[in-house]
Amino acid sequence: MSEKPSIGFDTVAEFLAHAHALEQELAQRYGEMADSLEVHNNPEVAGLFRQLAKYSETHAGKLIPQAEAFDMPKVPPWEYQWLCIDEPEDCREATNYLMTTRQALQLALRMEEGSRSFYALTIQGSPCQPVKELAEKMVALKERHLVLLNGWLGSEAERHELPPEDLDPPNMPE
């Protein structure tokens, strides 16, 4: 297994631009997954994703006041440096209308681990001490999310949840 490269930011403004975009991206992905599950009448799991989207939106919002002290660069999406988080398509493909709460939690855990990894790699690779300090705070925040998700996952392990019955399965032409 190859080791992921460290991610270095020379300025706080550059780091904040990436961190803000990452948190917005997570909120958007969680929101899209919630929308999909609501359409398919899976309100329990949709609610879980809505809660996670709200967490990410809150974190993105908290980064804005810090960024106001800097002239944050406009970073085109193809230059974002979170190499470690799943591509949005992976998350969309992993979301299905029959997913259980446990499967949703596992997907959310994977996404939070990816974002935590981005911040940890930033600590390793940034020459700028203020960037490292901000990234450390974000790692701590992500670790709290991981504890929360693992707690929820532990609670779900006690339930023997069966996938919901598909009352309208896809029709395959013969």
Side-chain angles (χ1 to χ4, degrees), residues 99-143:
M99 76 187 314
T100 64
T101 303
R102 182 170 178 73
Q103 291 168 327
L105 287 167
Q106 289 168 333
L107 177 59
L109 195 60
R110 196 171 84 211
M111 290 171 62
E112 289 296 319
E113 286 169 344
S115 61
R116 184 212 171 277
S117 193
F118 164 75
Y119 294 118
L121 291 170
T122 297
I123 294 167
Q124 291 174 354
S126 289
C128 178
Q129 189 59 34
V131 167
K132 289 179 185 252
E133 290 168 7
L134 286 170
E136 286 170 358
K137 289 179 183 177
M138 295 304 288
V139 165
L141 189 64
K142 293 300 174 179
E143 286 176 350

Short mmCIF file of all heavy atoms in Angstrom, two decimals, residues 99-143:
data_model
loop_
_atom_site.label_atom_id
_atom_site.label_comp_id
_atom_site.label_asym_id
_atom_site.label_seq_id
_atom_site.Cartn_x
_atom_site.Cartn_y
_atom_site.Cartn_z
N MET A 99 -30.11 1.47 1.51
CA MET A 99 -29.03 1.35 2.47
C MET A 99 -29.57 1.42 3.90
O MET A 99 -30.55 2.08 4.18
CB MET A 99 -27.92 2.37 2.22
CG MET A 99 -28.17 3.78 2.62
SD MET A 99 -26.87 4.94 2.07
CE MET A 99 -25.36 4.14 2.47
N THR A 100 -28.89 0.70 4.76
CA THR A 100 -29.26 0.68 6.17
C THR A 100 -28.53 1.81 6.90
O THR A 100 -27.60 2.41 6.36
CB THR A 100 -28.86 -0.67 6.81
OG1 THR A 100 -27.43 -0.78 6.78
CG2 THR A 100 -29.51 -1.84 6.10
N THR A 101 -28.94 2.06 8.11
CA THR A 101 -28.27 3.07 8.92
C THR A 101 -26.80 2.70 9.10
O THR A 101 -25.92 3.55 9.02
CB THR A 101 -28.96 3.19 10.29
OG1 THR A 101 -30.34 3.50 10.08
CG2 THR A 101 -28.33 4.27 11.14
N ARG A 102 -26.54 1.44 9.31
CA ARG A 102 -25.15 0.98 9.49
C ARG A 102 -24.31 1.28 8.24
O ARG A 102 -23.19 1.77 8.34
CB ARG A 102 -25.14 -0.51 9.80
CG ARG A 102 -23.75 -1.08 10.05
CD ARG A 102 -23.84 -2.51 10.58
NE ARG A 102 -22.53 -3.06 10.79
CZ ARG A 102 -21.69 -2.73 11.76
NH1 ARG A 102 -22.04 -1.82 12.64
NH2 ARG A 102 -20.51 -3.29 11.88
N GLN A 103 -24.84 1.01 7.07
CA GLN A 103 -24.10 1.29 5.83
C GLN A 103 -23.87 2.79 5.67
O GLN A 103 -22.80 3.21 5.24
CB GLN A 103 -24.88 0.74 4.63
CG GLN A 103 -24.91 -0.76 4.58
CD GLN A 103 -25.92 -1.29 3.57
OE1 GLN A 103 -26.98 -0.70 3.35
NE2 GLN A 103 -25.59 -2.42 2.95
N ALA A 104 -24.86 3.59 6.03
CA ALA A 104 -24.71 5.05 5.94
C ALA A 104 -23.62 5.53 6.89
O ALA A 104 -22.80 6.39 6.54
CB ALA A 104 -26.03 5.73 6.26
N LEU A 105 -23.60 4.98 8.09
CA LEU A 105 -22.58 5.36 9.06
C LEU A 105 -21.18 4.96 8.58
O LEU A 105 -20.22 5.71 8.77
CB LEU A 105 -22.87 4.73 10.42
CG LEU A 105 -24.04 5.35 11.19
CD1 LEU A 105 -24.44 4.46 12.35
CD2 LEU A 105 -23.69 6.74 11.67
N GLN A 106 -21.07 3.81 7.97
CA GLN A 106 -19.77 3.38 7.44
C GLN A 106 -19.29 4.31 6.33
O GLN A 106 -18.11 4.65 6.25
CB GLN A 106 -19.85 1.94 6.95
CG GLN A 106 -19.97 0.94 8.07
CD GLN A 106 -20.33 -0.46 7.61
OE1 GLN A 106 -20.95 -0.66 6.57
NE2 GLN A 106 -19.93 -1.44 8.41
N LEU A 107 -20.20 4.76 5.48
CA LEU A 107 -19.85 5.70 4.42
C LEU A 107 -19.44 7.04 5.02
O LEU A 107 -18.43 7.63 4.62
CB LEU A 107 -21.03 5.87 3.46
CG LEU A 107 -20.84 6.87 2.33
CD1 LEU A 107 -19.65 6.49 1.45
CD2 LEU A 107 -22.10 6.95 1.49
N ALA A 108 -20.20 7.53 5.98
CA ALA A 108 -19.87 8.80 6.64
C ALA A 108 -18.52 8.70 7.35
O ALA A 108 -17.71 9.63 7.31
CB ALA A 108 -20.96 9.17 7.63
N LEU A 109 -18.26 7.56 7.95
CA LEU A 109 -16.97 7.34 8.63
C LEU A 109 -15.83 7.42 7.62
O LEU A 109 -14.80 8.05 7.89
CB LEU A 109 -17.01 5.97 9.31
CG LEU A 109 -15.96 5.65 10.35
CD1 LEU A 109 -16.02 6.62 11.51
CD2 LEU A 109 -16.17 4.23 10.87
N ARG A 110 -16.02 6.83 6.47
CA ARG A 110 -14.99 6.88 5.42
C ARG A 110 -14.73 8.32 4.96
O ARG A 110 -13.59 8.73 4.79
CB ARG A 110 -15.43 6.01 4.24
CG ARG A 110 -14.31 5.68 3.29
CD ARG A 110 -14.72 4.65 2.27
NE ARG A 110 -15.40 5.34 1.18
CZ ARG A 110 -16.36 4.82 0.45
NH1 ARG A 110 -16.79 3.59 0.68
NH2 ARG A 110 -16.92 5.49 -0.51
N MET A 111 -15.80 9.10 4.83
CA MET A 111 -15.65 10.48 4.40
C MET A 111 -14.95 11.32 5.48
O MET A 111 -14.07 12.14 5.17
CB MET A 111 -17.01 11.08 4.05
CG MET A 111 -17.59 10.49 2.77
SD MET A 111 -19.29 10.96 2.45
CE MET A 111 -19.16 12.72 2.29
N GLU A 112 -15.32 11.12 6.73
CA GLU A 112 -14.69 11.87 7.82
C GLU A 112 -13.22 11.46 8.00
O GLU A 112 -12.37 12.29 8.29
CB GLU A 112 -15.46 11.69 9.12
CG GLU A 112 -16.79 12.40 9.15
CD GLU A 112 -16.68 13.91 9.07
OE1 GLU A 112 -15.81 14.52 9.71
OE2 GLU A 112 -17.52 14.52 8.35
N GLU A 113 -12.93 10.17 7.81
CA GLU A 113 -11.53 9.73 7.88
C GLU A 113 -10.71 10.37 6.77
O GLU A 113 -9.56 10.76 6.99
CB GLU A 113 -11.45 8.20 7.80
CG GLU A 113 -11.89 7.51 9.06
CD GLU A 113 -12.06 6.00 8.91
OE1 GLU A 113 -12.12 5.49 7.76
OE2 GLU A 113 -12.13 5.32 9.96
N GLY A 114 -11.31 10.51 5.60
CA GLY A 114 -10.61 11.16 4.49
C GLY A 114 -10.31 12.61 4.78
O GLY A 114 -9.20 13.09 4.52
N SER A 115 -11.27 13.33 5.35
CA SER A 115 -11.03 14.74 5.64
C SER A 115 -10.04 14.89 6.79
O SER A 115 -9.17 15.77 6.78
CB SER A 115 -12.33 15.49 5.93
OG SER A 115 -12.99 14.96 7.05
N ARG A 116 -10.09 14.00 7.78
CA ARG A 116 -9.11 14.02 8.87
C ARG A 116 -7.71 13.77 8.30
O ARG A 116 -6.75 14.41 8.69
CB ARG A 116 -9.44 12.97 9.92
CG ARG A 116 -8.49 13.03 11.12
CD ARG A 116 -8.27 11.65 11.74
NE ARG A 116 -7.22 11.70 12.73
CZ ARG A 116 -5.92 11.64 12.45
NH1 ARG A 116 -5.49 11.54 11.22
NH2 ARG A 116 -5.02 11.68 13.40
N SER A 117 -7.63 12.87 7.37
CA SER A 117 -6.36 12.55 6.72
C SER A 117 -5.78 13.77 6.00
O SER A 117 -4.58 14.04 6.06
CB SER A 117 -6.56 11.39 5.76
OG SER A 117 -5.36 10.86 5.35
N PHE A 118 -6.64 14.55 5.34
CA PHE A 118 -6.20 15.77 4.66
C PHE A 118 -5.54 16.71 5.66
O PHE A 118 -4.44 17.23 5.43
CB PHE A 118 -7.38 16.46 3.99
CG PHE A 118 -7.12 17.90 3.61
CD1 PHE A 118 -6.32 18.21 2.52
CD2 PHE A 118 -7.65 18.93 4.36
CE1 PHE A 118 -6.07 19.53 2.18
CE2 PHE A 118 -7.40 20.26 4.02
CZ PHE A 118 -6.60 20.55 2.93
N TYR A 119 -6.19 16.92 6.81
CA TYR A 119 -5.64 17.84 7.81
C TYR A 119 -4.35 17.28 8.43
O TYR A 119 -3.40 18.02 8.68
CB TYR A 119 -6.68 18.15 8.87
CG TYR A 119 -7.85 18.93 8.33
CD1 TYR A 119 -9.15 18.42 8.36
CD2 TYR A 119 -7.68 20.19 7.76
CE1 TYR A 119 -10.22 19.13 7.84
CE2 TYR A 119 -8.75 20.91 7.24
CZ TYR A 119 -10.01 20.38 7.29
OH TYR A 119 -11.06 21.08 6.77
N ALA A 120 -4.30 15.97 8.66
CA ALA A 120 -3.09 15.36 9.22
C ALA A 120 -1.92 15.48 8.25
O ALA A 120 -0.78 15.76 8.66
CB ALA A 120 -3.35 13.90 9.58
N LEU A 121 -2.19 15.27 6.96
CA LEU A 121 -1.14 15.40 5.96
C LEU A 121 -0.67 16.85 5.84
O LEU A 121 0.50 17.11 5.55
CB LEU A 121 -1.63 14.89 4.60
CG LEU A 121 -1.87 13.39 4.51
CD1 LEU A 121 -2.57 13.03 3.21
CD2 LEU A 121 -0.58 12.62 4.65
N THR A 122 -1.56 17.78 6.10
CA THR A 122 -1.20 19.21 6.10
C THR A 122 -0.23 19.50 7.24
O THR A 122 0.74 20.25 7.06
CB THR A 122 -2.47 20.08 6.21
OG1 THR A 122 -3.29 19.84 5.06
CG2 THR A 122 -2.13 21.55 6.30
N ILE A 123 -0.48 18.92 8.39
CA ILE A 123 0.43 19.11 9.54
C ILE A 123 1.82 18.62 9.18
O ILE A 123 2.83 19.28 9.45
CB ILE A 123 -0.10 18.38 10.80
CG1 ILE A 123 -1.41 19.00 11.27
CG2 ILE A 123 0.95 18.40 11.91
CD1 ILE A 123 -2.16 18.16 12.29
N GLN A 124 1.90 17.46 8.54
CA GLN A 124 3.19 16.89 8.16
C GLN A 124 3.92 17.73 7.12
O GLN A 124 5.13 17.86 7.16
CB GLN A 124 3.01 15.48 7.58
CG GLN A 124 2.57 14.44 8.55
CD GLN A 124 2.29 13.12 7.85
OE1 GLN A 124 2.32 13.00 6.63
NE2 GLN A 124 2.00 12.10 8.65
N GLY A 125 3.17 18.30 6.18
CA GLY A 125 3.82 18.89 5.01
C GLY A 125 3.95 20.40 4.99
O GLY A 125 4.64 20.93 4.13
N SER A 126 3.30 21.09 5.91
CA SER A 126 3.34 22.55 5.85
C SER A 126 4.54 23.12 6.60
O SER A 126 4.77 22.77 7.75
CB SER A 126 2.06 23.15 6.43
OG SER A 126 1.00 22.90 5.56
N PRO A 127 5.25 24.03 5.95
CA PRO A 127 6.38 24.68 6.62
C PRO A 127 5.92 25.82 7.54
O PRO A 127 6.70 26.29 8.36
CB PRO A 127 7.20 25.23 5.46
CG PRO A 127 6.20 25.47 4.37
CD PRO A 127 5.16 24.41 4.55
N CYS A 128 4.66 26.22 7.44
CA CYS A 128 4.13 27.36 8.17
C CYS A 128 3.51 26.92 9.50
O CYS A 128 2.53 26.16 9.50
CB CYS A 128 3.09 28.06 7.29
SG CYS A 128 2.29 29.47 8.03
N GLN A 129 4.06 27.37 10.61
CA GLN A 129 3.58 26.95 11.93
C GLN A 129 2.11 27.32 12.18
O GLN A 129 1.37 26.49 12.70
CB GLN A 129 4.49 27.50 13.04
CG GLN A 129 4.18 26.95 14.42
CD GLN A 129 4.29 25.43 14.50
OE1 GLN A 129 5.12 24.80 13.84
NE2 GLN A 129 3.44 24.82 15.31
N PRO A 130 1.66 28.53 11.83
CA PRO A 130 0.23 28.82 12.02
C PRO A 130 -0.69 27.88 11.24
O PRO A 130 -1.78 27.53 11.72
CB PRO A 130 0.09 30.27 11.54
CG PRO A 130 1.45 30.86 11.72
CD PRO A 130 2.41 29.73 11.43
N VAL A 131 -0.27 27.44 10.07
CA VAL A 131 -1.06 26.47 9.29
C VAL A 131 -1.12 25.15 10.06
O VAL A 131 -2.19 24.55 10.19
CB VAL A 131 -0.48 26.26 7.88
CG1 VAL A 131 -1.10 25.04 7.21
CG2 VAL A 131 -0.68 27.50 7.03
N LYS A 132 0.01 24.72 10.57
CA LYS A 132 0.05 23.47 11.34
C LYS A 132 -0.89 23.54 12.54
O LYS A 132 -1.61 22.58 12.83
CB LYS A 132 1.47 23.17 11.82
CG LYS A 132 2.42 22.77 10.72
CD LYS A 132 3.82 22.53 11.31
CE LYS A 132 4.81 22.23 10.23
NZ LYS A 132 5.23 20.85 10.20
N GLU A 133 -0.90 24.68 13.22
CA GLU A 133 -1.77 24.84 14.39
C GLU A 133 -3.24 24.79 14.02
O GLU A 133 -4.04 24.15 14.71
CB GLU A 133 -1.42 26.15 15.11
CG GLU A 133 -0.06 26.10 15.79
CD GLU A 133 0.43 27.46 16.27
OE1 GLU A 133 -0.34 28.45 16.21
OE2 GLU A 133 1.60 27.53 16.71
N LEU A 134 -3.62 25.44 12.93
CA LEU A 134 -5.01 25.38 12.47
C LEU A 134 -5.38 23.96 12.04
O LEU A 134 -6.48 23.47 12.34
CB LEU A 134 -5.23 26.35 11.31
CG LEU A 134 -5.29 27.82 11.67
CD1 LEU A 134 -5.27 28.69 10.41
CD2 LEU A 134 -6.54 28.11 12.49
N ALA A 135 -4.47 23.30 11.35
CA ALA A 135 -4.73 21.92 10.91
C ALA A 135 -4.87 20.99 12.11
O ALA A 135 -5.70 20.07 12.10
CB ALA A 135 -3.62 21.44 9.98
N GLU A 136 -4.09 21.23 13.15
CA GLU A 136 -4.22 20.41 14.38
C GLU A 136 -5.60 20.57 14.99
O GLU A 136 -6.19 19.59 15.47
CB GLU A 136 -3.13 20.79 15.38
CG GLU A 136 -1.76 20.27 15.00
CD GLU A 136 -0.62 20.84 15.85
OE1 GLU A 136 -0.88 21.70 16.74
OE2 GLU A 136 0.53 20.43 15.62
N LYS A 137 -6.13 21.81 14.99
CA LYS A 137 -7.48 22.02 15.51
C LYS A 137 -8.51 21.27 14.68
O LYS A 137 -9.47 20.71 15.21
CB LYS A 137 -7.81 23.52 15.53
CG LYS A 137 -7.05 24.29 16.58
CD LYS A 137 -7.38 25.76 16.54
CE LYS A 137 -6.54 26.52 17.56
NZ LYS A 137 -6.77 27.97 17.50
N MET A 138 -8.32 21.27 13.36
CA MET A 138 -9.25 20.57 12.49
C MET A 138 -9.15 19.05 12.67
O MET A 138 -10.16 18.35 12.63
CB MET A 138 -9.03 20.96 11.03
CG MET A 138 -9.33 22.44 10.73
SD MET A 138 -11.02 22.95 11.18
CE MET A 138 -11.98 22.13 9.93
N VAL A 139 -7.93 18.56 12.90
CA VAL A 139 -7.78 17.12 13.17
C VAL A 139 -8.54 16.76 14.44
O VAL A 139 -9.26 15.76 14.49
CB VAL A 139 -6.28 16.73 13.28
CG1 VAL A 139 -6.11 15.36 13.92
CG2 VAL A 139 -5.62 16.75 11.92
N ALA A 140 -8.40 17.59 15.47
CA ALA A 140 -9.10 17.32 16.73
C ALA A 140 -10.62 17.31 16.52
O ALA A 140 -11.33 16.46 17.06
CB ALA A 140 -8.71 18.35 17.79
N LEU A 141 -11.10 18.23 15.72
CA LEU A 141 -12.51 18.30 15.41
C LEU A 141 -12.97 17.04 14.67
O LEU A 141 -13.99 16.44 15.00
CB LEU A 141 -12.77 19.54 14.55
CG LEU A 141 -14.18 19.94 14.27
CD1 LEU A 141 -14.88 20.34 15.56
CD2 LEU A 141 -14.19 21.11 13.30
N LYS A 142 -12.20 16.64 13.68
CA LYS A 142 -12.53 15.43 12.91
C LYS A 142 -12.47 14.19 13.80
O LYS A 142 -13.27 13.26 13.65
CB LYS A 142 -11.61 15.27 11.70
CG LYS A 142 -11.81 16.35 10.66
CD LYS A 142 -13.24 16.32 10.13
CE LYS A 142 -13.51 17.46 9.19
NZ LYS A 142 -14.88 17.41 8.66
N GLU A 143 -11.54 14.17 14.73
CA GLU A 143 -11.46 13.01 15.63
C GLU A 143 -12.69 12.93 16.52
O GLU A 143 -13.18 11.84 16.81
CB GLU A 143 -10.16 13.07 16.44
CG GLU A 143 -8.97 12.70 15.58
CD GLU A 143 -7.62 12.82 16.27
OE1 GLU A 143 -7.54 13.38 17.40
OE2 GLU A 143 -6.63 12.37 15.66
#
